[in-house]
Amino acid sequence: MLARTVTHALVGLEPRRVEVEAHIQQGKLSAFAIVGLADRACQEAKARVRSSVLAAELVWPSPCRITINLAPASLRKEGSGFDLPIALAVLAASAQLPEGALEGHAAFGELGLDGRLRPVPGALVAAEGARRAGLAHLVCAAESAPEVALAGVDPVGVRHLGEAVAYLRGEHEPPEPAPPADDFEALAGVPDLADVRGQERARRALEIAAAGVHNLLLAGPPGTGKTMLARRLPGLLPLLDDEASLEVSRIHSVAAVLPPGAGLVRVPPFRAPHHSTSVAGLIGGGGASVRPGEASLAHRGVLFLDELPEFQRPALEALRQPLEDGVVSVSRVATRAVFPARFQLIGAMNLCPCGGRGDSAASCACSPERVQRYRERLSRALLDRFDLVLAVPRPRGHELAGPEAERSGEVRERVLAARVRLRERPATRTASADALLTRAVERLPLSGRGRARVARVASSVAALAGADHVEPEHVAEALSYRPPVELAA
Amino acid sequence: MSELAVALFAASTGSHLLEEPRSLRFARFRASLDEPGFLRDLEHRGLRWVARGASGYPARLRSIHDPPPGLFVRGDAPLDLLGRTAVAVVGARACSGYGSAVAFELGRELARAGVLVVSGLARGVDAAAHRGALEGGETVAVLGCGVDRDYPRAHATLAAAIATRGLIVSEYPPGVEPSPWRFPARNRVVAGLCDATVVVEARERSGALITADLALDEGREVLAVPGEITSNLSRGTNALLRLGATPVTSVDDVLAAVGATRAAPVERAALEPRLAAVRAAVADAPAAADEVVRRTGLAPGAAAAALAELELLGVVVHADGLYREVVPSS
């Protein structure tokens, strides 16, 4: 007897159709083989599938020679998502499912020894594969059902192999997944800018960065609220549109960081990897399987790198490709994957290795050479990517005790208006604004690139002000966010 | 005597020489040296050599007790620049924002008054003094290595700017690497080139104090910028004051010491009220931009714009998040 189920393997972020064929041959000896480039976790499916079938009080065909083929055989299959389709194929091949019951169904999920179904990362991508293959239903773990629903495929969320079989026999109807939380609730978890007391300049820079999608570098002694500020950036950004949202959710699904039941990612993601993160951790990679890195998890959102100079140099240099092209391509022996990685970069650093510099309450004991070495860890090429560079001094006591500042919502309104303006009617510089810019290039150490940066930031400042032209005061403000000589030289 | 041979021999043997040594080694060195060829090569690289005996050699330097046999010179300015009234502005490399602001301001105002500003191209005070001087006029950097060496590397751009407006000089031939023992020797050239030496910030055992000592030995004026008595960076300068150095309370004190007069103040009254208010907010003490926002009541964006404009006008400087006024309002 031969039966077939359809499932999808992940290659990077793309689903690849995999047909699971089960062949059962009556014989004297029992044998169970999986062929078709299956990795270890896949091979182990044998034990899980067999126990699950027995645990579901179904019949394990025996004595029989059972062969499972995962086609196409040329594609490497990994992970435990094949458990369920293998089990269903065996059951269909042994006539324990009604004929044609698997028609229009894909399956995806890991089985426990007791037959319980476990969610596997990448359910959203598998569901998209099912939709593209013209399959209307996807049998999956109940926890994955909301994710599957997002892809426009009818989820059959089940808790147990027995439940799946009951459904396929037409004896059981799985419950509808809960509707995802709406936007308002989604934003509720993002910290509010009102918590940041004082720091008017930094707040302003954050607003400009949000309006013009500029990368921002915050330099200042520890404890001045650099991280706190960065965490509040997603709350100032527009929510993701449908396309972006699906794109981001897909990445998060594959990396298994999509919170259960939260629905599509609507709020721009915020990722803050530790400075010990490896190159692979930052831009993606891994062993044979290629997983998205932090740069891709921050796609359409914010990548926050605290203690920027402490990151390994190769990791920082690897960020230059996504900063330039918005994608990361990772090649491994067996696979090559391209992950989208268009993020806004927020960097934070101390002004010196000991952290005392720029802090009125501490003194810095670093030698000039040590400070220089610390700052030289950032390549010129990377520094060039920061449109806004800000020295964040320690706020005074009375500032921290001051009244509550403006809320994120109000700032966000201005940012949204500025974004519309920048898209629809980009302002042109007036002659006097141009003159100021030229004077700055002559007067300050400002390179050609620096000039372009200032011009970009000035446009965002003008858009925030709702001005039709970029005036000298906008250029002047943009100039105040240029990197200080110590960092630029 | 051949000063060039002495200079080259000293550099190749790593010794400090002022006169021709009576050694066989030197005789052999001199015999094998192709002086005209070396000079042609030097000229080819756009560098000059001024021997102690030559007319271009600065008289003030010749009068110290151990004048270098000659100077290698990089830069386009005429050599008589070195004959101008000159002031050395020296100090700590790890200076504070205050130190670099003062050095910058002294450098600029002295240069504006037509005084030549001399320093050592080091980090901190030296670099700030050079930068300030370039805004107002000419400056000379004295190196403890070859003039082609741009040491420290971070100051390559600054060195190039000095070479176009002023001069970079050294007693060591091109190619000589910086090494610690050469810096005190360099300091004697800094002090020797100048009528007066101003120490801006110095710790207790700072190289700048060596320069001051050397200046005193030669009977040159020594001035020091007072600092906070609680700061390590003021130990050296305050100790100099205690010993009788002239305190620098404004650039006028320095100008008086060398007999120069201040250049006419440049468009001081031209500040519009908005900028004047922001300037007033940083006049008493250096302030962060947020402090300026609070004192002036301006929006953060407007305050940032005003600070940048003042920076462009050269009225305030910015370091490590703090803005400070460099030109007192009077």
Side-chain angles (χ1 to χ4, degrees), chain A residues 81-113:
Chain A
F82 296 95
D83 291 6
L84 180 64
I86 291 174
L88 293 178
V90 169
L91 292 171
S94 56
Q96 295 183 72
L97 292 178
E99 204 158 319
L102 285 167
E103 203 82 352
H105 285 80
F108 185 69
E110 175 185 323
L111 289 168
L113 292 183

Side-chain angles (χ1 to χ4, degrees), chain A residues 199-201 204 351 357 368-369 372 375 391 393 396 399 436 440 443-444 473 476-477 479-482 486, chain B residues 93-95 108 123 131 135 154 288-291 293-294 300-301 304-305 308-309 311-314 320-321 323:
Chain A
Q199 298 293 21
E200 286 83 358
R201 179 174 165 79
R204 170 75 180 166
L351 288 165
R357 220 179 160 86
E369 288 78 14
Q372 188 72 18
R375 290 174 178 180
R396 310 273 166 102
E399 292 174 24
L436 178 62
R443 183 75 173 61
L444 306 167
E473 71 241 41
E477 186 179 349
L479 278 171
S480 79
Y481 307 118
R482 71 183 194 283
E486 309 94 84
Chain B
R93 288 176 303 149
C95 66
R108 182 173 60 178
R123 294 180 219 277
R131 288 204 172 95
E135 300 232 320
D290 291 345
E291 198 63 36
V293 167
R294 239 176 311 285
E309 282 176 56
E311 235 186 310
L312 269 182
L313 291 172
D320 294 336
Y323 287 88

Side-chain angles (χ1 to χ4, degrees), chain B residues 310-330:
Chain B
L310 287 172
E311 235 186 310
L312 269 182
L313 291 172
V315 177
V316 303
V317 293
H318 172 225
D320 294 336
L322 292 179
Y323 287 88
R324 66 182 79 227
E325 189 182 33
V326 283
V327 190
S329 317
S330 60

Side-chain angles (χ1 to χ4, degrees), chain B residues 225-236:
Chain B
V225 175
E228 292 176 29
I229 59 171
T230 51
S231 165
N232 273 338
L233 277 167
S234 313
R235 287 269 163 80

Side-chain angles (χ1 to χ4, degrees), chain A residues 126-215:
Chain A
E128 287 190 311
R131 194 190 59 216
R132 276 185 231 165
L135 303 168
H137 315 277
L138 176 67
V139 187
C140 61
E143 292 91 332
S144 304
E147 239 177 86
V148 169
L150 296 176
V153 171
D154 173 35
V156 181
V158 292
R159 289 172 203 294
H160 195 273
L161 179 60
E163 210 179 323
V165 171
Y167 160 79
L168 290 168
R169 286 177 178 166
E171 295 160 2
H172 168 78
E173 203 50 51
E176 290 277 314
D182 63 17
D183 297 348
F184 181 73
E185 286 173 49
L187 263 177
V190 182
D192 198 288
L193 203 53
D195 309 335
V196 181
R197 307 289 164 91
Q199 298 293 21
E200 286 83 358
R201 179 174 165 79
R203 294 170 61 104
R204 170 75 180 166
L206 202 63
E207 183 175 335
I208 296 171
V213 203
H214 301 292
N215 297 329

